[in-house]
Every structure is written in structure tokens, then in C-alpha cells.
Amino acid sequence: MAHEDLPVRIAASVLGVTESGYFAWRSRPPSARSVRHTWLTEVITAVHAASHGTYGYRRIHEELTSRHGIAVSRGTVQLLMRRAGIRGLTAGRRRRIRPAAPGT
């Protein structure tokens, strides 16, 4: 709403918050969780790039926990990858080639 040059008073009234609450939120430092998520997203992006974009959240989780020693859940890795728009390659279906029947 701030990008639309909407006055704070109107935006706060529409959202059901107080003006002082908005300004307190705006001046508050980022939480520990958001700082950790930002850092983890950078690490996940680096691991994904090192795998040439093939690793999905399961393999990235394995890489983070076993090789990097970072304690993180699969769900957190999946959430952060989704938010960052990072996806692994899906395995394509393999066609089974059957030999021609004898006599045909």
C-alpha cells in the first residue's frame, strides 16, 4: 500500500491496525528467524547452483545436514526453496524398449 502513495492513516484503518503499531513494526529490527531464513536461502541457492540445478529439497536437505553440518528440517528447506523459486529437475519417464516379436 505504501507503493500506491496511500496515507498511513487510511491503510492502517483498512488493515485494522493502529498507526503507532505500523510505525513500531517498520522501525523494528528483523527477527532471528527471518535473518536465519535469509542466510539459509543463500546457502540453499549455492548448493543448488553447485548441483547444476538438479537437486530438489530432499537432496539439498541431505547436503546441508551431512556435509555442511547445518541443523534444518526438510520442511524448512522446502519452504525456503518455494519462496525463492528454486526447483530441482524432475526425473523423466523412461521408455522401455521391447524387442520386436519373432517372426514380424
Side-chain angles (χ1 to χ4, degrees):
M1 291 186 164
H3 301 299
E4 301 170 0
D5 295 327
L6 194 65
V8 173
R9 175 174 288 156
I10 294 172
S13 140
V14 167
L15 295 173
V17 297
T18 62
E19 291 179 58
S20 60
Y22 165 75
F23 287 112
W25 167 79
R26 197 172 79 174
S27 64
R28 199 174 298 140
S31 67
R33 179 185 293 164
S34 67
V35 170
R36 184 168 194 266
H37 280 189
T38 303
W39 172 74
L40 272 174
T41 302
E42 292 172 6
V43 175
I44 288 169
T45 304
V47 170
H48 188 261
S51 75
H52 303 289
T54 59
Y55 283 6
Y57 77 92
R58 290 180 184 96
R59 283 188 179 170
I60 289 181
H61 173 261
E62 178 64 29
E63 182 88 15
L64 292 176
T65 56
S66 65
R67 296 217 176 122
H68 294 280
I70 300 172
V72 62
S73 70
R74 271 190 189 173
T76 300
V77 173
Q78 187 178 21
L79 172 82
L80 295 177
M81 285 180 69
R82 188 180 325 120
R83 284 183 182 169
I86 300 171
R87 295 187 63 173
L89 292 180
T90 56
R93 289 188 72 157
R94 295 188 179 117
R95 293 182 56 188
R96 182 176 174 189
I97 300 172
R98 298 181 186 191
T104 55

